[in-house]
Amino acid sequence: MAKQPMSAPQPLSFPPSHFAKLAPRSYLHVHLSSSNGRRPSGRLAHESRKPQINTGSLTHCHGSAVVRAGDNAVVCGIRAEILNAPDIVDCKPATKLEELEERYGSGMGAQMGVREGEVRGQSRTEDAEEMAQLNLLVPNVELSTGCSPSYLPGMPPSTEAQSLSHRVLTLLHTAQLLSMDDLRIWYHPAPSSTSIVPQPPSEAPTAAEPTSMSLDVPNDIIPTDEEYAQRPEVKAYYTLHITLLVLSLSGPPFSTIWTALLSALRNTRLPKAWWDAHRQSVICSPLISDTRPLRLNGLPIAMSCGVFNTEKDGAGLVSQVPEGGGKGENKWILCDTDGFEEGCCEEEITVVVRERQGAHGQGMEVVRIEKCGGGVVGGKEMREVVTLAEERWKVLKGAIEGSA
């Protein structure tokens, strides 16, 4: 009986997902070095994930938003609570109109703006300092159970969640995003029948008669202590409690978290509030028509990117980068990295930019730059990252304004 010829052994083959787990850096390098220069996700090196934004999703918050970018999903809820000025124990804020004038410039409180009790002349820098001193912004980032395989049920708040909360709070103050005029709750006393009355002019004091007071007001208008107590006064503040819940995590979440926060702030409407002297408490109007939005200082947009460098991986991974790929022969700047690419990158950069406003002219300005790990990115690469952030700003600006 003739023997059947033996069949040739079949070559071993694995699906791409197995190669990605066995040699992730080599797997990423092969994709970036290919003719089309695309990443495993199909995106180009400088291409970010398309955002999806939905605002007003939570009915029991003063403002909310849900943002999804790829496999990153974040929900943000903002609720305003009232903080009475006498309850502030760490510091004594300036509440009288005259005290605010003395702190932020003479005459600034004499003009009332469109909003009740608005203090004219106070700069955004002074707003941020007072906001930080009174702790009126309280962000809290939570990485929910199941957002990634690293977060199991029953675990305490992670170090990453606490770090993200601190970064959000720092950027809120650095960007000087909010105005204190939106957070102050004023008390305007009813006009008294014994208002300021002209006083007869007195003779000039002699050397033996020292003056008892020196006021920068006309000599015939001298307010009494009772009249001074009836001036407008700040009785309370709005404290914004910002909860950011990461539902799904794939890659650095900060840019998605910040986009959700901006969208929620633009969606926030605070009820009209005033101090009731008879009840000795703050009263809020229940009418939706009396609510007012927050006035934001521009629209600072955050963009994160990673740097993939193969210089230390040996000659086997170093190859000439084709035209249209990353910068240099062995390094790539990857915008909006996902979870797989984040593990292969040794350096992470976050750039926050916004449109320049007011007397500073037109164009874009850099609000903040954060850099973590590595030393590959220099001045030339950093300028390129800022340019990419400016392009990303246009995309996210349209998405945020379109969701309103």
Side-chain angles (χ1 to χ4, degrees):
M1 183 175 179
K3 295 182 178 181
Q4 295 182 353
M6 297 180 61
S7 59
Q10 296 294 330
L12 296 177
S13 62
F14 299 98
S17 58
H18 288 192
F19 282 106
K21 293 179 180 180
L22 294 173
R25 293 181 59 84
S26 300
Y27 181 76
L28 178 58
H29 184 264
V30 168
H31 278 79
L32 295 175
S33 301
S34 62
S35 58
N36 56 16
R38 292 188 176 273
R39 295 139 76 172
S41 60
R43 293 181 288 144
L44 296 173
H46 294 167
E47 186 178 352
S48 298
R49 292 172 285 190
K50 184 179 179 180
Q52 299 176 356
I53 304 176
N54 183 30
T55 57
S57 303
L58 305 179
T59 58
H60 298 288
C61 295
H62 293 103
S64 63
V66 178
V67 176
R68 186 180 185 93
D71 289 334
N72 275 347
V74 178
V75 57
C76 177
I78 299 177
R79 187 169 181 85
E81 299 291 342
I82 294 175
L83 173 65
N84 294 321
D87 295 338
I88 302 175
V89 295
D90 295 337
C91 60
K92 181 175 176 55
T95 56
K96 292 288 186 181
L97 203 56
E98 286 76 6
E99 294 175 353
L100 292 169
E101 285 182 344
E102 182 179 356
R103 174 177 296 185
Y104 300 119
S106 59
M108 64 174 294
Q111 301 177 358
M112 293 297 177
V114 177
R115 298 191 174 181
E116 240 179 285
E118 179 179 350
V119 179
R120 291 292 188 183
Q122 185 172 359
S123 68
R124 289 283 183 174
T125 302
E126 294 161 343
D127 278 357
E129 292 175 354
E130 185 174 0
M131 230 173 281
Q133 188 180 28
L134 300 178
N135 295 320
L136 299 183
L137 304 178
V138 187
N140 181 39
V141 177
E142 298 181 13
L143 300 174
S144 64
T145 300
C147 67
S148 78
S150 303
Y151 296 95
L152 303 176
M155 294 181 61
S158 64
T159 304
E160 183 179 6
Q162 299 177 39
S163 174
L164 288 169
S165 300
H166 177 72
R167 291 174 64 186
V168 169
L169 179 60
T170 302
L171 184 53
L172 280 170
H173 294 316
T174 303
Q176 302 170 7
L177 193 58
L178 299 172
S179 171
M180 279 297 300
D181 292 329
D182 295 333
L183 304 181
R184 292 191 182 102
I185 299 176
W186 288 82
Y187 168 57
H188 294 270
S192 174
S193 58
T194 59
S195 56
I196 299 178
V197 295
Q199 301 290 334
S202 58
E203 298 181 358
T206 62
E209 299 175 350
T211 58
S212 58
M213 64 175 65
S214 178
L215 296 175
D216 189 16
V217 295
N219 294 332
D220 57 343
I221 301 180
I222 302 178
T224 64
D225 293 340
E226 181 181 356
E227 293 162 349
Y228 179 80
Q230 295 177 351
R231 301 293 181 89
E233 181 180 0
V234 178
K235 286 291 188 178
Y237 301 89
Y238 273 123
T239 301
L240 300 184
H241 294 268
I242 306 169
T243 301
L244 295 143
L245 181 63
V246 180
L247 301 177
S248 179
L249 179 61
S250 177
F254 183 78
S255 59
T256 308
I257 288 174
W258 183 253
T259 303
L261 173 58
L262 281 180
S263 303
L265 286 174
R266 288 174 57 89
N267 180 250
T268 299
R269 298 189 67 89
L270 300 181
K272 181 180 179 181
W274 64 93
W275 177 263
D276 189 283
H278 298 287
R279 301 183 183 181
Q280 289 295 299
S281 63
V282 176
I283 305 297
C284 295
S285 172
L287 301 178
I288 298 179
S289 58
D290 287 342
T291 60
R292 59 190 186 187
L294 297 174
R295 293 171 292 181
L296 303 183
N297 182 20
L299 196 66
I301 296 296
M303 188 204 72
S304 299
C305 61
V307 180
F308 178 62
N309 180 29
T310 61
E311 288 182 350
K312 299 180 181 180
D313 291 337
L317 285 183
V318 179
S319 63
Q320 183 68 28
V321 177
E323 184 178 356
K327 298 301 178 182
E329 296 183 354
N330 46 24
K331 60 185 177 184
W332 287 263
I333 296 176
L334 307 179
C335 294
D336 191 18
T337 56
D338 56 25
F340 170 74
E341 296 164 347
E342 181 187 14
C344 299
C345 295
E346 299 178 351
E347 192 169 352
E348 180 186 344
I349 305 169
T350 300
V351 179
V352 183
V353 296
R354 70 177 163 201
E355 191 174 17
R356 191 179 292 112
Q357 297 180 344
H360 301 288
Q362 301 296 325
M364 304 295 294
E365 64 177 356
V366 178
V367 178
R368 186 176 179 86
I369 295 179
E370 297 178 356
K371 185 172 175 292
C372 177
V376 176
V377 174
K380 180 181 178 181
E381 291 81 6
M382 190 62 72
R383 285 191 291 271
E384 181 182 358
V385 172
V386 172
T387 302
L388 295 173
E390 294 174 354
E391 297 175 358
R392 182 64 171 169
W393 179 87
K394 299 176 182 178
V395 176
L396 288 177
K397 177 177 183 290
I400 293 175
E401 293 180 348
S403 64

